[in-house]
Amino acid sequence: MSVQTVRNADLIVINGRVLTMDQTRPTAEAVAITDGLITAVDDKTTIEALRGPDTKVIDARGGSVVPGFIEAHMHLFSGAAELAHLQLSGIHGFDALREAVLAYAAAYPNQRMLVAQGADYTILGSERVTRHHLDAILPGRAFLMAAPDHHTYWANTRALEMADVLRGRELTPGNEIVMGADGLAEGELRENEAFNPVLKLAGEERVRLGLSTGGEPDPMPSAEERAGDRAIMRRGLDWCARHGITSIQNMDGNFYQLELLSEVEAEGDLICRVKIPFHYKNFMTPDMLDKASTMAERYDSEWLSSRMVKLFYDGVLDSWTAVMIEPYADRPDWVGEPLFSPEEFKRIAIEIDRRGLQIAVHSIGDGATRAVLDGYEAAAKANGKRDSRHRVEHVELTTAADIERFVDLGVIASMQPPHPPGAMSFPLEPTVSRIGRARWPYAYPTRTLIEAGAHVVFASDWPVAPIDPIEGMQAAMLRKPWAHDMPDQSVSLHQALSGYTVEGAYAEFMEDRKGQLKPGYFGDLVVLSADMEATDPALLHEVRPVTTICGGRVTYQA
């Protein structure tokens, strides 16, 4: 008679309040991982029996143990680079702005151009920022600062001159260099074509190629430059792991990012699973989707993959570049300009879908959301209905008529809990007035979509908003209506956690391998400093990742 032996686990987590997100077994006390996979989720005694002399033991000390957070919409390369920029979140008023900029300028005396991030549209109150404000702070050095949404930048005169845009230049629809009555640029630059020539002066063009053009570096970087870019990627991956993130769905991409991450993986430093899309721009032609198909074929592992095409249909509300069905409340002659015509988008959606690739489209205004849904409907009719899981990114505005279409078409709503004005760090104005009260009931309609039966996945859009999933969950749970007669769009703790785990896995066709803690799933989990279920939602932000584990490997330890 043979005796069956049970192999000792490589790693066990004990004494935890395990929230598995597995409906068949919602809670447990401990987890075991072997060869990068979860082998058992059970009570402490059962898991302790799998402990051997070489087993690594993590004591959760009563804190929550949850599936690794899946960041379903972020910008890894540029976000990592921006960690070194001047951060203006929370800065208000000219004097405070001046003090922050001058201190940063003094710290970097030899930098060709200074770049700042996170400047609220209302950083000067009701007064719109111009180059003259920035000249009064820093007249002799090029300076550029970005709004949190990264769709508007403001440059001083020196920066505009160096980029040769002070007198404007011709741009395609949806992009604008705001011009003054004197025929010179006022300093406000809306969308990529307007600000890319200025941003290029910062010497970080490669980190934004996946967002700005979807193209590759030309010329290709030297070995030293490439090593520097890998270091930036590592900085971003470390930042993610520090916040409990084990999977990243990037929302810009090119071959270069995949190559860098492949090199990082070969060096043993790929500590998050990463999905990189092909970014299709409105100046491209459909044959360029061959590149998307090649990216999908070449990179298709559990650690590094593609199989997605990202597009932008419109801009953002605060710069009037989002596309609306009816005019803006504070600009009654304007509905915004789409980056694709509705018919153009239908054609490209049909072609991407025909290739079996997933589509993710930045869509802010209700007009954009409708056009994107129309495109997905056209693709299903042309190619036959399949489990495509196409996505609408942001869904900041929609209509009652289009809510049900998310369910009917099987479209994922990719939403960012930090984004609704007043929910976290973004101010109410000018956004709520720009939307207009008549549209408030279907603004950032998180709970409405969930209750309708749509798949809703959560993310930060880092570096647009802070990357922290726990702060994102808190924002989703504590969100308040803008008026007493508006729908409540807040969610429960379980719904918020699902948005960063189960739904994130579903969004990348990996619900059978990640997003839950159950045997056979990836050994991706986070040990938190406290029991989330026992924590007052108002204090949830104080709960911190203590240990992040990805593929059975500890990637962050507090």
Side-chain angles (χ1 to χ4, degrees):
M1 179 177 178
S2 63
V3 177
Q4 186 176 8
T5 59
V6 177
R7 179 181 167 186
N8 293 329
D10 295 333
L11 180 151
I12 61 174
V13 179
I14 58 173
N15 298 323
R17 301 281 296 175
V18 182
L19 300 177
T20 67
M21 304 307 290
D22 173 9
Q23 293 182 356
T24 64
R25 180 165 191 167
T27 61
E29 294 177 338
V31 181
I33 299 173
T34 305
D35 292 335
L37 299 177
I38 295 172
T39 47
V41 181
D42 218 312
D43 59 72
K44 180 183 177 182
T45 301
T46 301
I47 299 301
E48 283 272 22
L50 302 175
R51 179 176 180 172
D54 298 322
T55 300
K56 184 176 183 63
V57 180
I58 305 292
D59 189 342
R61 302 181 186 276
S64 291
V65 179
V66 300
F69 297 132
I70 299 172
E71 230 295 348
H73 184 124
M74 66 172 289
H75 303 279
L76 177 62
F77 203 8
S78 60
E82 288 179 15
L83 289 171
H85 292 174
L86 171 61
Q87 306 299 317
L88 294 175
S89 177
I91 299 293
H92 292 98
F94 181 81
D95 291 341
L97 175 61
R98 181 178 184 276
E99 181 179 351
V101 172
L102 290 180
Y104 188 75
Y108 296 91
N110 300 318
Q111 200 154 298
R112 186 185 185 201
M113 187 175 76
L114 299 167
V115 183
Q117 303 292 337
D120 281 344
Y121 283 87
T122 54
I123 194 168
L124 299 183
S126 60
E127 192 173 1
R128 294 191 72 83
V129 178
T130 70
R131 62 186 170 92
H132 304 295
H133 293 108
L134 305 183
D135 290 348
I137 296 172
L138 202 69
R141 295 179 66 185
F143 176 68
L144 181 71
M145 70 181 192
D149 57 33
H150 291 65
H151 286 260
T152 297
Y153 281 71
W154 295 272
N156 68 357
T157 302
R158 180 64 180 143
L160 295 168
E161 288 174 336
M162 289 173 62
D164 195 26
V165 296
L166 182 60
R167 300 184 184 280
R169 67 170 56 179
E170 189 173 339
L171 305 174
T172 61
N175 301 271
E176 183 181 3
I177 298 172
V178 178
M179 303 299 292
D182 59 359
L184 300 177
E186 289 191 342
E188 183 171 334
L189 308 166
R190 300 174 182 168
E191 302 301 332
N192 281 283
E193 282 186 36
F195 54 69
N196 276 342
V198 187
L199 192 56
K200 185 177 180 180
L201 300 173
E204 296 178 348
E205 187 177 14
R206 289 191 303 277
V207 307
R208 288 185 53 83
L209 279 177
L211 187 63
S212 61
T213 71
E216 308 303 323
D218 185 17
M220 290 301 289
S222 66
E224 182 180 1
E225 289 171 330
R226 200 175 185 102
D229 288 347
R230 288 197 300 273
I232 292 173
M233 282 294 198
R234 286 192 188 89
R235 184 196 309 163
L237 293 167
D238 287 343
W239 190 244
C240 290
R242 175 178 291 272
H243 289 91
I245 294 167
T246 56
S247 288
I248 295 164
Q249 294 165 24
N250 212 52
M251 282 296 141
D252 65 89
N254 54 6
F255 258 124
Y256 186 58
Q257 289 192 42
L258 285 161
E259 290 166 359
L260 286 176
L261 289 166
S262 182
E263 292 163 12
V264 169
E265 181 180 17
E267 294 166 351
D269 295 331
L270 189 60
I271 57 174
C272 299
R273 307 177 193 277
V274 188
K275 188 181 185 78
I276 299 286
F278 171 68
H279 190 174
Y280 188 91
K281 304 289 287 187
N282 60 352
F283 53 76
M284 294 179 176
T285 52
D287 61 291
M288 297 185 75
L289 288 168
D290 288 346
K291 180 176 173 180
S293 295
T294 303
M295 288 168 66
E297 293 163 6
R298 194 172 298 175
Y299 297 93
D300 190 24
S301 76
E302 65 186 47
W303 286 97
L304 188 58
S305 61
S306 186
R307 299 200 63 78
M308 182 163 67
V309 177
K310 168 71 185 300
L311 304 91
F312 278 78
Y313 192 88
D314 66 347
V316 294
L317 293 162
D318 288 352
S319 61
W320 297 285
T321 52
V323 172
M324 312 288 261
I325 294 172
E326 299 293 337
Y328 282 84
D330 62 348
R331 196 172 171 183
D333 60 344
W334 181 250
V335 295
E337 289 182 301
L339 298 172
F340 295 87
S341 73
E343 291 307 313
E344 284 174 329
F345 180 74
K346 285 178 184 177
R347 285 194 294 272
I348 198 64
I350 289 169
E351 175 57 20
I352 298 169
D353 182 79
R354 185 189 67 78
R355 292 169 179 260
L357 301 173
Q358 188 180 26
I359 310 172
V361 184
H362 168 112
S363 169
I364 297 285
D366 53 9
T369 300
R370 179 165 294 176
V372 172
L373 292 173
D374 288 346
Y376 293 161
E377 185 173 21
K381 288 179 180 176
N383 301 324
K385 193 166 184 178
R386 66 181 180 89
D387 185 16
S388 59
R389 304 190 194 181
H390 296 322
R391 306 165 48 138
V392 180
E393 307 299 318
H394 309 306
V395 201
E396 294 191 359
L397 284 177
T398 189
T399 63
D402 287 326
I403 290 288
E404 293 297 331
R405 298 179 72 201
F406 278 87
V407 182
D408 295 341
L409 295 170
V411 172
I412 294 169
S414 170
M415 306 187 77
Q416 293 68 49
H419 283 196
M424 203 159 93
S425 57
F426 293 131
L428 293 174
E429 297 296 349
T431 316
V432 296
S433 294
R434 202 140 292 166
I435 293 170
R437 203 179 194 286
R439 280 185 287 238
W440 284 2
Y442 291 97
Y444 309 86
T446 308
R447 188 198 282 192
T448 300
L449 281 161
I450 291 173
E451 291 181 346
H455 282 280
V456 177
V457 61
F458 284 164
S460 67
D461 197 12
W462 184 70
V464 169
I467 203 171
D468 191 349
I470 296 174
E471 287 191 5
M473 282 187 270
Q474 183 181 49
M477 294 166 63
L478 296 182
R479 185 173 160 199
K480 303 297 182 189
W482 296 332
H484 68 87
D485 57 344
M486 292 294 117
D488 182 358
Q489 298 293 353
S490 65
V491 302
S492 68
L493 172 61
H494 189 274
Q495 287 172 325
L497 184 56
S498 179
Y500 283 101
T501 56
V502 175
E503 293 293 349
Y506 178 84
E508 54 177 301
F509 299 87
M510 293 291 282
E511 69 271 23
D512 61 338
R513 304 303 304 280
K514 64 169 74 170
Q516 301 175 56
L517 300 180
K518 59 193 298 187
Y521 277 52
F522 294 147
D524 301 354
L525 56 84
V526 190
V527 180
L528 301 176
S529 62
D531 181 351
M532 297 178 78
E533 292 182 302
T535 300
D536 183 335
L539 301 176
L540 193 62
H541 64 280
E542 296 180 0
V543 178
R544 296 287 82 213
V546 174
T547 306
T548 305
I549 299 166
C550 187
R553 171 187 177 187
V554 174
T555 56
Y556 169 72
Q557 185 76 59

